[in-house]
Amino acid sequence: MLSEKGKMELITQISLDIDEVKDLDILLERILTHVRKFFNADAGSIYLKQGDELKFSYTQNDTLQKRLGPDRKLIYNTFFVPINNQSIAGYVAKNRQIVNIPDAYKMSGLEPYTFDSNFDNISDYRTCSILTVPMTNQRGDVLGVMQIINAQDDQGNIIPFSRSDESLINHFATSAALAVERAKMTRNIIMRMISMAELRDPKETGAHVNRVGSYSVELYEVWARKKGISSEEIERQRDTLRMAAMLHDVGKVAISDLILKKPARLSQDEFEIMKSHTYLGARLFRDAQSEFDELAAEVALSHHDKWDGTGYPGHMDPVSEKPLSGLADPDGRPLPKKGEDIPLFGRIVAVADVFDALCSRRSYKEPWDEERVLEEMRVSAGRHFDPEIVDAFFSCFDVLKSISSRYPDDTD
Ligand code: C2E
Ligand code: SIN
Ligand code: SIN
Ligand code: FE
Ligand code: FE
């Protein structure tokens, strides 16, 4: 067990660590991991306030994760909880009060809230101790609720959370709330950059952008784990990959509405113009100031290159629109990029983007059914796509589907 001093030091370090994360999903995951480790809690969840409800946004559970095996992800459904006294999380958010329950199945019955045993029943889990804390910012607004479940002693026995745990978790919840606020702001700025720049293409919605971002991170994680890349490195890359993937089509801002919104197939000339969205997007990040700028440029430029060399724009310098030196064909056009010439994140976003396009309605096509989409992904391995990324796609298809249901088109 850590001393009080050791605990405070760890908290400070965790706060710094959280400060560095700019992406909300990744932030929530990291916060929860830290907090659970700190309190030796088997499980935990974070609810974020959305409108006048709480959205069940993130969850971890070591016991269920062990049953599933290390390479699989817990699948969870997003659901909403009203902010009122009926549920534990609702009560905590409404009254801005910590609730510390020693055993969920031995409550006095006098509490205004009740424990919902639905999750336990479905997953064959036994919730015992629960510590639930409001996440409030400095103004006192509730941004969400953090809940940790089943504290364990050093022998792994489930024990109640202590009094001192209550004040300690408060500290976490506050710093998490601030970080969530900041992360939301960054995400909002990116979303505004995408919408203000008038990506008027009706299909380039916030939902599409979010799905492509999340799919890409998932594909990368699965691919990288198979490659034996360290979890620190994976963690480090996820943040920037997600945002870079979200901006893959930002170059479409420069494409005329006539082409962008055409409710029919494009002519060859129109498609030639459409292709420019790759290098026009890359050009926005040309004065690469950060690793993120560099990645975002790479993704914008190369997400339509194909593994077999039949994609575009190939080895082109986005600024001069000329082939990179020594990489022109006899007609002076850029030689195609193929295989690992194409940057990894370009290869990943290609899979994520096409998968999403095939599953979605377009002004000129209906969504494909799942079987047809999967067949297309399968036959595209080694042609359009890097076969290893397609392998990753099939390994995590269930997770991709749950991502898709979290970002439906109509609630955009
Ligand atoms: P997008 O609609 O987001 O599609 C992204 C990529 O998904 C496409 O890249 C293509 O590789 C794949 N894809 C989308 N729909 C289909 C499909 O029905 N069948 C197959 N096999 N693949 C599909 P691509 O072709 O380079 O197109 C880039 C962008 O150009 C598209 O992004 C879209 O904005 C525009 N575009 C392409 N063709 C048309 C068209 O016929 N009409 C209109 N209005 N826009 C088009
Ligand atoms: C987006 O956020 O991707 C576009 C939002 C919009 O223009 O409606
Ligand atoms: C295609 O079918 O290859 C064209 C892509 C599209 O329809 O967007
Ligand atoms: Fe594109
Ligand atoms: Fe796209």
Side-chain angles (χ1 to χ4, degrees):
M1 281 287 179
L2 284 165
S3 67
E4 290 304 309
K5 178 158 174 289
K7 281 186 178 176
M8 286 319 292
E9 275 167 8
L10 188 54
I11 286 183
T12 311
Q13 189 195 319
I14 290 168
S15 302
L16 287 176
D17 186 24
I18 286 171
D19 267 357
E20 283 171 11
V21 184
K22 290 171 203 72
D23 184 82
L24 191 51
D25 283 351
I26 292 163
L27 178 76
L28 294 181
E29 186 172 340
R30 191 174 291 182
I31 289 173
L32 206 50
T33 305
H34 278 314
V35 170
R36 288 193 313 109
K37 211 181 271 175
F38 189 85
F39 293 98
N40 207 13
D42 186 50
S45 306
I46 288 178
Y47 299 74
L48 291 182
K49 183 159 179 274
Q50 193 169 309
D52 47 13
E53 290 181 307
L54 290 175
K55 181 180 183 188
F56 182 80
S57 302
Y58 207 83
T59 192
Q60 295 173 349
N61 186 309
D62 283 345
T63 299
L64 298 183
Q65 185 68 57
K66 266 179 215 133
R67 277 189 220 155
L68 209 55
D71 289 343
R72 307 275 309 283
K73 260 213 165 151
L74 273 183
I75 307 278
Y76 62 96
N77 291 318
T78 302
F79 59 88
F80 289 86
V81 178
I83 298 184
N84 62 29
N85 290 346
Q86 277 161 24
S87 66
I88 299 168
Y91 178 91
V92 165
K94 178 160 194 268
N95 302 283
R96 291 154 207 233
Q97 243 174 46
I98 290 199
V99 167
N100 186 354
I101 299 171
D103 188 334
Y105 291 85
K106 289 186 189 143
M107 298 204 309
S108 72
L110 298 173
E111 303 85 355
Y113 44 80
T114 49
F115 169 68
D116 178 2
S117 58
N118 227 333
F119 176 83
D120 276 8
N121 297 337
I122 294 169
S123 54
D124 190 24
Y125 186 72
R126 170 67 162 84
T127 300
C128 192
S129 52
I130 313 177
L131 185 57
T132 312
V133 56
M135 289 163 44
T136 48
N137 66 10
Q138 273 152 336
R139 296 216 318 264
D141 307 322
V142 175
L143 300 182
V145 166
M146 181 186 286
Q147 183 164 69
I148 51 175
I149 290 172
N150 288 357
Q152 292 161 304
D153 65 16
D154 291 341
Q155 280 77 48
N157 304 307
I158 307 290
I159 52 171
F161 291 96
S162 70
R163 272 275 167 193
S164 77
D165 287 346
E166 290 180 31
S167 46
L168 281 170
I169 197 174
N170 236 332
H171 189 100
F172 276 111
T174 307
S175 87
L178 293 176
V180 165
E181 210 164 41
R182 268 200 303 277
K184 272 189 170 166
M185 218 184 291
T186 310
R187 174 82 61 95
N188 284 342
I189 287 168
I190 289 184
M191 294 316 287
R192 252 176 247 151
M193 172 172 174
I194 290 163
S195 64
M196 259 187 358
E198 284 182 38
L199 267 190
R200 296 138 307 181
D201 188 345
K203 71 185 185 302
E204 292 299 322
T205 62
H208 166 69
V209 165
N210 271 305
R211 286 193 302 263
V212 172
S214 299
Y215 294 157
S216 299
V217 167
E218 189 60 38
L219 290 169
Y220 168 66
E221 247 197 283
V222 172
W223 177 89
R225 276 204 307 259
K226 279 189 194 161
K227 286 283 186 191
I229 292 172
S230 74
S231 30
E232 289 76 27
E233 174 65 8
I234 296 175
E235 183 78 7
R236 207 178 63 75
Q237 294 279 12
R238 290 175 46 154
D239 198 12
T240 39
L241 170 56
R242 176 178 237 280
M243 293 196 280
M246 288 174 86
L247 289 165
H248 69 280
D249 272 341
V250 71
K252 283 185 179 172
V253 295
I255 307 293
S256 135
D257 264 4
L258 293 177
I259 296 177
L260 216 48
K261 290 186 172 169
K262 184 176 178 180
R265 302 218 62 92
L266 300 179
S267 71
Q268 193 136 45
D269 288 348
E270 290 166 335
F271 192 58
E272 282 308 313
I273 294 170
M274 181 57 97
K275 285 178 174 179
S276 68
H277 80 278
T278 51
Y279 50 86
L280 295 177
R283 217 183 275 176
L284 287 175
F285 306 98
R286 77 183 136 194
D287 300 315
Q289 298 287 328
S290 63
E291 195 180 12
F292 170 71
D293 291 332
E294 218 164 285
L295 276 176
E298 211 170 84
V299 165
L301 186 66
S302 64
H303 72 279
H304 288 296
D305 280 309
K306 296 186 181 177
W307 184 256
D308 64 4
T310 61
Y312 60 90
H315 289 286
M316 176 199 267
D317 170 37
V319 177
S320 67
E321 298 181 23
K322 299 245 161 56
L324 291 172
S325 72
L327 294 168
D329 68 12
D331 298 327
R333 281 188 305 244
L335 286 174
K337 273 192 212 128
K338 57 178 155 193
E340 294 184 357
D341 297 346
I342 307 165
L344 173 66
F345 287 172
R347 273 137 58 200
I348 288 174
V349 172
V351 171
D353 185 35
V354 173
F355 171 57
D356 198 58
L358 297 180
C359 294
S360 302
R361 189 180 310 281
R362 292 290 192 248
S363 54
Y364 49 90
K365 80 176 241 304
E366 288 302 303
W368 291 14
D369 62 43
E370 185 175 307
E371 202 180 323
R372 187 165 169 218
V373 171
L374 292 180
E375 180 59 13
E376 177 72 16
M377 300 305 287
R378 198 181 60 74
V379 302
S380 298
R383 289 148 85 172
H384 189 159
F385 304 134
D386 177 348
E388 289 184 358
I389 308 297
V390 176
D391 282 346
F393 172 88
F394 283 102
S395 314
C396 65
F397 182 61
D398 49 354
V399 178
L400 301 184
K401 281 217 296 200
S402 82
I403 291 169
S404 156
S405 66
R406 255 187 286 155
Y407 296 110
D409 275 319
D410 47 353
T411 63
D412 191 30

